[in-house]
Amino acid sequence: MLFNSLDFTIFLPIVFLIYWVLLKKKVRAQNVLLMLASYVFYGWWEWKFLSLIIFSTIVDYFVGVGLGKSENERHRKLLLWTSICINLGFLGVFKYYNFFIENFTNAFSFFGQPINANSLNIILPVGISFYTFQTLSYSIDCYKRKLKPTTDFVAFSAYVSFFPQLVAGPIERATNLLPQFSKERNFSYAQSVDGLRQILWGLFMKVVIADNCAELANKIFNNSDSYSGSTLVLGALFFTFQIYGDFAGYSNIAIGTARLFGFDLMKNFAFPYFSRDIAEFWRRWHISLSTWFRDYLYIPLGGSKGGMGMKIRNTFIIFIVSGFWHGANWTFIIWGALNAVYFLPLLLTNNNRNHLEIVASSSKLPSLKEGMQMLLTFGLTVIAWVFFRAENLSHAMHYLSEIFSASLFTMPSTSILRNGTLTILLVLLFLLLEWNGRKDAYAIEKLGLSWNKGFRLSLYYAFILAIFWFGGKEQQFIYFQF
Amino acid sequence: MHQFITKIFLFFVPFILLTVNYMTYKDSGGDLSRLGKVSFDDEYRAQFEEEYSLPDKTTALSSIDLSQAQRFDILTIGDSFSQYGTTGYQNYLANRFDLSIVNVDNGYKRENPIQMLFQIANGDILDHLKVDYIVLQSVERDFGLRAEQSDPQKAIHSKDFNRTFEAPKSTGGQSAGFGLFHNIINYTLFNVLYNFDSRAFFSNAYKVNTADSTLFSTQENEMLFYYKDVKHIVYNTEAAAKTANKMLNLLHKKLNAKGVELIVLPSPDKYNVYAEYIEDDNLPENDFLKTLEQLDKDYIYVNTEHMLTKNIERGVQDVYYADDSHWSPVGQKLVAKHLYREITNTKDGYLSNN
C-alpha cells in the first residue's frame, strides 16, 4: 500500500478510529490492532511476502528470549549468529543472489573458463532491507545487554511490522521504539495535529517535488545520448531533488503517521543539502541507516581508533557496504566508494566533526564561506547521485564525461527547459521553505502556527491543492526497491 | 479526541462536496472529455459500436518475425491516429479493398514516426519485409517538430527492433489512485472556469462555441479540441513546412531505392479542420498543411485537410469524435477511401498483389 494512494487514505482513518475510539487505553489490544493493520498494509502488495516477515519476527523473538535467559557466552553467541545468518541470509538470497551469480559467471568467462550458473527469477520483497536491519538491531542490542528482551510477542511483532516505517524506514532501534509499545499511549491533540502537518509536508515533498523531478530526470537519463552536458547537469539536479523529496518525504509521512498513534520515531533527514562538508551531509542524510552502520559495523571494526590504515579500511568498508545495501549493482558500490573518497580527507585530518549545528543557525543567510561550502558539498553529492541513478557503470561514466565536456557550456535543451519550468519553480519554493525551517524537525513544523486560524487553514488548503494540482505522474517511492 | 475528529471532518467537508459533485461526471472515454472533464452521454459512443466489431484484417509488426521474408501491400507507421485497431483506416482499407496491411505498433509511444521511418529505411528491415507502399501518418501539431528533430542517418536493424522500442526504465510508474483527487478538483474547477475562458485557464482541452450545432451528432453548439492544436502553431511555420518537405523528400528517396513508395498522410488538427465554425476570433490561424501541400514533392501527399473539411461542409457529422481529438470511425473510413484513391491514382498506379 502506498502512502500516496486512495487505499491508504481509507486505511489510515479506519485504523486510527478503532485505535483511539474503540481501543482507548487498552495497550495490548492497540498493539494487536497495529500488528494486524501492519500485516494488511504490507500484504497489500503481495501477501506471500508476509511469510518472510513473520518468520523473521518469530526467529528474532525467540532469539531474544533465549538471550534473556542464557548466561552461557557460547550459547548467546550462537543465538546471535542464528539471527544474523537468517536475516542476512534472506537479504542475501532475495536481493543479491543474481548479482553474485552474474559476476561469478562473468569472472570465470573472463578467465576463459565459462560456467553455467542460472540466475533465479526472484521478486525482491518490499522493505526487506529495512525490517531485517531493524530486527538485527534488536538481536544485537539484546546480546550486548543494552536492551532487556521482551516476552510480549504481540508488542515485538508490532515493533517489527509497524506500518508507518516498515517499508522505507526510518530504521528504528529497539531501544527507542520497542518500549513505546509497552507504555500506555494517550491521545494528544497537539501531537496529532503536528503529525498531520508532517504528513502534509511529506506528501508535498513526494508528490509535488519528487514525482515532478522524476519525470524530467527519467527523460534525461533514459535518453542521455541525445542531450548536451548542460542538459545532463539538469538531469542530475532533477534526480538530486527527486531522491531527496521521495525519501525524506516518505520519512516525514512515516514519522507523522506514527505520531497519530502516539509514537515517536527518529528523525531521518536533517536538511542534508545545506551541509557544509560531506561529513555533515552523512550526519543529515538517512540518519537511521548511517547510525546503524556506525554502531553495528564501524565501531565493532575499530571505528576511528587505530592507525591510518585501519581508519581508511573501516571508512571504505562502511561506505561500500552502505552502497551495496541500496542495491545489487556496481553503480551503488561505486556510489558508496565515491562517498568514502569524499569523506576520507576530513576523517584523516580530524575535520569530520566540524559542523554540528545547522548552517546559519543564528542568522538569516549563510556567510559567503558557508555558501561556498554548501555549493561544493552539494556539487559533490550531485556527481555521486549520477552513479546511483545510472543503469550501469558505463552509463554513469558516459553521463559524467558528457557533463564535463564542451557541451556543458551550451544552452540546455529548450524542450526540457520548457517542460521543466514549473518544476524548477516548485523546487525553488521548496528550497525556500526548507531553508526557512532548517532549525526545526521538518520544514513547515512552525510555519503558520502564529498566524490567525483563517490564514493557517488557507495554508493547509493551499498545500493540499498543490499536492493534487501539481502532483506529477504517479511514481513509486524509490526506496521501495531496496 | 472528539474535537480532533470534528475539526478534521469539517476541514474535509469541501472535498466531500467536490467528490459528491464529481459523481455527476460521465466519462465517455474520449481523451478530450477526460482532459477537460466534460461530460458526454453514454449513448454518444454507443452509435459506433457496430464498427468495433469489424474483423481485424491487419497485421501488427510486433507479431512478425523480421528475419523471415514477407510481403505486404502497405506498411503503415504513425502516432495514435494509426493505432485504432478494428476502427482504424488501415483496417477499413484491408476489409473494403482487400489489401494486406502491416502496422508498426511497436514503440509508437516514442512519438516520432518520422524518425522511426528514417531508421527503418536506413536499416535492413525492408530487405525481408517487402511492401509496395509505406504510409507515414503524423498529427499536424507535431509534424514540424518531428521532422526537424529527426536524424536522417540513424538506422535500426531487425535484430534490435523490438528491444529498441521497449518502454524505457524509470524509477516508478505505478498508478495508485491519487489521480482521482486531481480529477475531483478539476471537474468542478474546469466547469466553472470554462464560463470565463475557453481553456478554463489550465485545462488541456479547449471548449469553444460553434456557429453550427450539426457538426457532431450531440447537436451541441460546442466543440472540444486539444490545447496543443493552438500552442504548437508557433512551431509550424512556413520554414518548418519547408524543412519537413525536404526531410520527406529525402525519406522518399531512401525508400524508393528499396522499391517502396512513400505516402504521407497528415492528420490535421481537429481545431484546424473545424476552425471556420469556431466563434472565438482570438484564436490564431494554422496554415502549416496548406503550405506543405503547395511545395514540390517526390512523395505521394494525401490532402486530408482538404478532403475532411469538404466532407464537413457537405454535412458529414462526427468526422472527429465530439469527445476526442482523433477521427471517429466516420473519419477513419473517409481517410481510408481517400487513401485508396490516391494509391490507385499514382503515376505507377499499381499494387503488386492486384
Side-chain angles (χ1 to χ4, degrees):
Chain A
M1 206 184 288
L2 290 178
F3 280 161
N4 54 325
S5 70
L6 186 60
D7 300 335
F8 187 71
T9 312
I10 297 168
F11 168 87
L12 182 63
I14 292 173
V15 177
F16 178 84
L17 285 172
I18 297 173
Y19 184 88
W20 287 117
V21 176
L22 296 180
L23 303 178
K24 190 176 166 181
K25 292 190 191 288
K26 295 171 188 161
V27 173
R28 189 166 172 79
Q30 285 178 330
N31 289 345
V32 170
L33 172 69
L34 287 176
M35 179 188 76
L36 293 174
S38 299
Y39 287 150
V40 166
F41 178 88
Y42 189 66
W44 208 258
W45 273 285
E46 173 60 66
W47 63 269
K48 290 173 194 163
F49 291 164
L50 283 172
S51 55
L52 275 174
I53 190 173
I54 291 171
F55 182 76
S56 189
T57 303
I58 293 170
V59 165
D60 288 310
Y61 172 76
F62 284 108
V63 161
V65 167
L67 286 169
K69 284 182 182 166
S70 175
E71 291 300 326
N72 181 306
E73 194 49 40
R74 209 168 147 192
H75 184 231
R76 296 181 92 247
K77 255 196 185 141
L78 181 64
L79 285 168
L80 174 66
W81 278 103
T82 301
S83 171
I84 290 172
C85 289
I86 286 176
N87 284 302
L88 293 184
F90 279 150
L91 198 57
V93 167
F94 282 95
K95 198 165 170 179
Y96 300 108
Y97 177 84
N98 287 334
F99 173 80
F100 284 118
I101 287 294
E102 205 179 291
N103 282 278
F104 194 61
T105 51
N106 287 346
F108 269 80
S109 296
F110 182 77
F111 291 108
Q113 300 289 332
I115 57 167
N116 187 18
N118 297 322
S119 60
L120 300 176
N121 187 18
I122 300 175
I123 301 171
L124 180 65
V126 176
I128 191 169
S129 304
F130 291 89
Y131 69 73
T132 50
F133 270 42
Q134 187 152 310
T135 52
L136 267 178
S137 85
Y138 172 76
S139 303
I140 296 170
D141 284 350
C142 287
Y143 173 78
K144 289 183 174 179
R145 301 182 201 276
K146 279 186 183 174
L147 178 73
K148 191 175 167 209
T150 183
T151 51
D152 183 345
F153 182 75
V154 169
F156 183 71
S157 301
Y159 153 74
V160 174
S161 63
F162 192 39
F163 73 87
Q165 43 88 237
L166 172 59
V167 293
I171 302 171
E172 278 292 330
R173 301 298 179 85
T175 46
N176 177 49
L177 185 56
L178 190 54
Q180 296 184 61
F181 281 93
S182 308
K183 288 184 200 155
E184 187 177 283
R185 276 92 61 180
N186 295 310
F187 178 79
S188 159
Y189 181 88
Q191 188 184 31
S192 295
V193 168
D194 189 54
L196 284 177
R197 285 166 60 92
Q198 195 160 5
I199 290 171
L200 188 64
W201 179 241
L203 282 171
F204 180 85
M205 289 179 84
K206 161 59 182 162
V207 175
V208 177
I209 301 301
D211 286 356
N212 278 300
C213 286
E215 271 185 73
L216 293 156
N218 288 341
K219 191 167 184 175
I220 295 170
F221 271 87
N222 291 335
N223 299 288
S224 54
D225 282 345
S226 314
Y227 291 114
S228 63
S230 52
T231 308
L232 298 182
V233 166
L234 281 180
L237 287 171
F238 284 130
F239 182 71
T240 299
F241 287 103
Q242 176 195 347
I243 194 163
Y244 178 52
D246 195 284
F247 197 18
Y250 185 96
S251 289
N252 277 317
I253 298 170
I255 295 166
T257 304
R259 300 200 82 203
L260 287 177
F261 295 92
F263 288 88
D264 281 314
L265 300 183
M266 69 180 292
K267 192 172 181 177
N268 212 13
F269 289 84
F271 309 97
Y273 288 155
F274 299 146
S275 300
R276 286 153 288 184
D277 58 44
I278 282 293
E280 186 183 4
F281 176 83
W282 280 103
R283 283 196 299 276
R284 296 178 177 281
W285 179 275
H286 201 173
I287 297 166
S288 63
L289 181 72
S290 52
T291 52
W292 196 101
F293 277 122
R294 179 199 64 199
D295 294 342
Y296 298 113
L297 190 58
Y298 187 68
I299 290 173
L301 284 173
S304 303
K305 295 172 188 162
M308 191 182 297
M310 186 182 273
K311 282 185 189 179
I312 294 172
R313 181 201 74 177
N314 292 344
T315 301
F316 269 95
I317 288 174
I318 288 303
F319 277 105
I320 287 172
V321 169
S322 175
F324 199 46
W325 176 90
H326 283 84
N329 193 315
W330 283 105
T331 51
F332 296 115
I333 294 171
I334 298 300
W335 169 79
L338 188 54
N339 274 281
V341 168
Y342 292 160
F343 185 83
L344 216 46
L346 295 169
L347 178 68
L348 296 176
T349 55
N350 285 321
N351 282 311
N352 57 309
R353 307 269 317 156
N354 280 352
H355 305 295
L356 299 179
E357 265 195 3
I358 189 70
V359 63
S361 57
S362 49
S363 60
K364 278 200 161 61
L365 293 172
S367 65
L368 182 62
K369 182 182 173 190
E370 285 171 336
M372 298 303 297
Q373 287 170 330
M374 286 196 293
L375 272 175
L376 176 63
T377 306
F378 184 74
L380 291 174
T381 56
V382 169
I383 291 171
W385 284 135
V386 170
F387 285 93
F388 200 91
R389 174 60 181 82
E391 299 285 333
N392 48 53
L393 281 183
S394 153
H395 183 207
M397 295 309 296
H398 185 79
Y399 195 102
L400 286 170
S401 65
E402 196 55 39
I403 284 180
F404 293 109
S405 70
S407 68
L408 176 63
F409 303 102
T410 58
M411 244 330 252
S413 154
T414 45
S415 76
I416 294 288
L417 282 178
R418 205 169 40 241
N419 294 327
T421 306
L422 177 64
T423 303
I424 291 168
L425 289 173
L426 289 169
V427 168
L428 289 173
L429 170 67
F430 168 68
L431 281 172
L432 191 62
L433 289 168
E434 285 265 295
W435 179 260
N436 188 59
R438 69 192 181 282
K439 295 174 214 172
D440 301 325
Y442 57 97
I444 65 163
E445 187 191 16
K446 299 201 171 109
L447 184 68
L449 290 182
S450 57
W451 301 355
N452 94 20
K453 199 172 176 182
F455 284 123
R456 201 163 57 252
L457 278 177
S458 304
L459 176 71
Y460 299 150
Y461 280 126
F463 269 112
I464 291 175
L465 284 174
I467 287 163
F468 293 153
W469 189 259
F470 295 118
K473 186 179 163 193
E474 193 66 45
Q475 309 278 352
Q476 184 167 289
F477 286 101
I478 296 178
Y479 268 70
F480 280 10
Q481 63 191 297
F482 308 139
Chain B
M1 178 69 197
H2 290 115
Q3 185 193 18
F4 179 78
I5 293 173
T6 307
K7 283 189 174 180
I8 295 298
F9 176 74
L10 288 173
F11 180 82
F12 281 105
V13 158
F15 297 103
I16 295 169
L17 292 174
L18 286 173
T19 306
V20 167
N21 189 40
Y22 183 68
M23 287 174 185
T24 62
Y25 170 56
K26 289 181 197 169
D27 182 358
S28 59
D31 56 11
L32 295 172
S33 162
R34 182 173 34 83
L35 290 169
K37 293 290 163 287
V38 177
S39 284
F40 278 81
D41 209 273
D42 293 337
E43 289 304 310
Y44 175 67
R45 286 263 174 162
Q47 66 180 302
F48 302 112
E49 247 168 54
E50 205 182 298
E51 305 293 338
Y52 303 144
S53 57
L54 202 66
D56 190 351
K57 289 191 177 175
T58 63
T59 305
L61 189 67
S62 58
S63 66
I64 286 177
D65 180 352
L66 291 173
S67 62
Q68 300 297 315
Q70 294 168 89
R71 172 168 273 288
F72 291 87
D73 293 318
I74 301 173
L75 177 141
T76 62
I77 177 169
D79 50 40
S80 53
F81 277 81
S82 292
Q83 310 303 328
Y84 266 74
T86 54
T87 58
Y89 64 90
Q90 303 99 314
N91 199 37
Y92 287 125
L93 270 175
N95 274 273
R96 171 85 192 267
F97 302 107
D98 199 28
L99 296 173
S100 57
I101 298 184
V102 59
N103 181 46
V104 178
D105 57 321
N106 351 35
Y108 80 91
K109 286 176 184 167
R110 297 286 285 206
E111 298 173 1
N112 192 344
I114 300 176
Q115 172 69 80
M116 206 191 311
L117 189 51
F118 267 115
Q119 289 174 237
I120 290 173
N122 290 329
D124 64 358
I125 289 168
L126 295 174
D127 294 349
H128 295 291
L129 179 63
K130 297 295 182 192
V131 296
D132 294 323
Y133 294 92
I134 289 181
V135 173
L136 169 63
Q137 173 271 316
S138 170
V139 71
E140 180 184 3
R141 60 180 168 267
D142 294 326
F143 210 115
L145 281 173
R146 283 172 178 169
E148 191 190 351
Q149 288 166 3
S150 292
D151 179 348
Q153 304 308 323
K154 273 190 176 172
I156 187 173
H157 301 286
S158 44
K159 64 178 174 60
D160 299 321
F161 194 72
N162 280 329
R163 191 158 46 82
T164 300
F165 292 102
E166 272 171 15
K169 285 179 190 168
S170 71
T171 51
Q174 179 176 324
S175 173
F178 217 57
L180 175 63
F181 294 123
H182 196 149
N183 290 338
I184 287 171
I185 290 177
N186 282 355
Y187 177 58
T188 302
L189 190 63
F190 288 165
N191 282 285
V192 167
L193 293 178
Y194 272 130
N195 293 309
F196 302 100
D197 180 76
S198 51
R199 215 190 126 183
F201 300 105
F202 310 107
S203 170
N204 286 343
Y206 275 84
K207 185 167 134 181
V208 293
N209 291 327
T210 52
D212 188 337
S213 63
T214 62
L215 298 172
F216 303 95
S217 54
T218 49
Q219 304 288 333
E220 301 269 357
N221 276 91
E222 280 174 354
M223 189 186 87
L224 300 178
F225 61 87
Y226 190 41
Y227 82 108
K228 283 188 181 176
D229 289 1
V230 170
K231 186 180 176 187
H232 280 203
I233 290 176
V234 292
Y235 304 123
N236 283 352
T237 57
E238 190 180 325
K242 287 178 179 167
T243 302
N245 191 52
K246 192 172 155 193
M247 291 292 266
L248 293 170
N249 280 334
L250 175 59
L251 186 52
H252 169 80
K253 190 174 167 187
K254 286 176 185 278
L255 289 170
N256 216 225
K258 299 197 174 187
V260 180
E261 281 291 326
L262 173 65
I263 302 174
V264 172
L265 178 70
S267 305
D269 295 332
K270 185 180 179 185
Y271 159 68
N272 189 14
V273 166
Y274 290 98
E276 65 176 280
Y277 304 99
I278 295 173
E279 288 185 338
D280 188 338
D281 293 330
N282 295 321
L283 293 169
E285 276 186 32
N286 182 359
D287 292 328
F288 179 79
L289 289 181
K290 290 180 185 63
T291 309
L292 184 63
E293 199 264 325
Q294 283 159 16
L295 297 171
D296 289 333
K297 38 180 88 61
D298 301 322
Y299 51 90
I300 300 168
Y301 179 78
V302 182
N303 196 345
T304 34
E305 186 191 28
H306 177 78
M307 182 274 291
L308 292 173
T309 47
K310 283 289 168 220
N311 274 282
I312 291 168
E313 274 173 27
R314 275 187 222 124
V316 177
Q317 289 186 323
D318 297 314
V319 170
Y320 287 70
Y321 282 112
D323 59 355
D324 201 286
S325 59
H326 296 87
W327 300 319
S328 75
V330 171
Q332 296 273 4
K333 274 189 206 167
L334 289 172
V335 167
K337 283 182 204 161
H338 193 69
L339 185 53
Y340 182 75
R341 216 174 292 134
E342 290 291 334
I343 289 169
T344 49
N345 286 345
T346 59
K347 61 174 190 212
D348 292 308
Y350 79 98
L351 282 160
S352 56
N353 279 354
N354 287 359

